Amino acid sequence: MDYLEVEGARGFVARLDHGGDWRAQIEAFAADEGVRSAFFIGLGAVQDAEIYFYDQDDREYDAVEFDEPLEMAACLGNVSDLEGEPFAHTHAVLSREDGSTVAGHLNRATVFAGELYVRTFDVPLERAHDETTDLDLWPL
Ligand code: ZN
């Protein structure tokens, strides 16, 4: 395991815009505030969602679309640079009216309502291609 000591720099609470994209709004916020590394948690509701599942054999993301209202029961993620731009690596647990859930790597979702807590760190993090997984990971 590689690791890096970080200290919390700034904290934010945010309300996501109705009708906007969940992940894109986090990335726009990071760009506006110059955030180069952060973790975040969030909750709320979305009008639809696209979840990715990483196929470890094929080394590709498979997308699954959900075109229905869903509760954002839990969202967590981090922000770091990917090819010079903020990337919000976002995972979500989404629930339906009957309480059943879908979950995974959130590519996009149209916000109905959303609340975030963001903690930024004092060091920049930049993703780089990892040969073992074929993913863009942190070279710590
Ligand atoms: Zn992921």
Side-chain angles (χ1 to χ4, degrees), residues 7 31-32 44 47 52 68 73 85 93 99 102 118 128 130 135:
E7 288 196 24
D32 288 349
Q47 301 170 61
Y52 280 177
E68 59 186 301
E85 301 288 331
V93 179
V102 296
V118 183
D130 175 69
L135 292 166

Side-chain angles (χ1 to χ4, degrees), residues 22 41-46 49 51 69-76 91-97 99-104 106 113-115:
W22 188 282
I41 54 175
L43 68 165
V46 297
I51 298 288
L70 298 158
E71 288 286 313
M72 181 65 81
C75 175
L76 61 92
H91 283 203
V93 179
L94 301 160
S95 65
R96 296 188 166 107
E97 188 175 6
S100 65
T101 57
V102 296
L106 186 80
E115 298 169 343

Side-chain angles (χ1 to χ4, degrees), residues 52 61 89-91 104-106:
Y52 280 177
Y61 281 107
H89 185 196
T90 306
H91 283 203
H105 178 109
L106 186 80

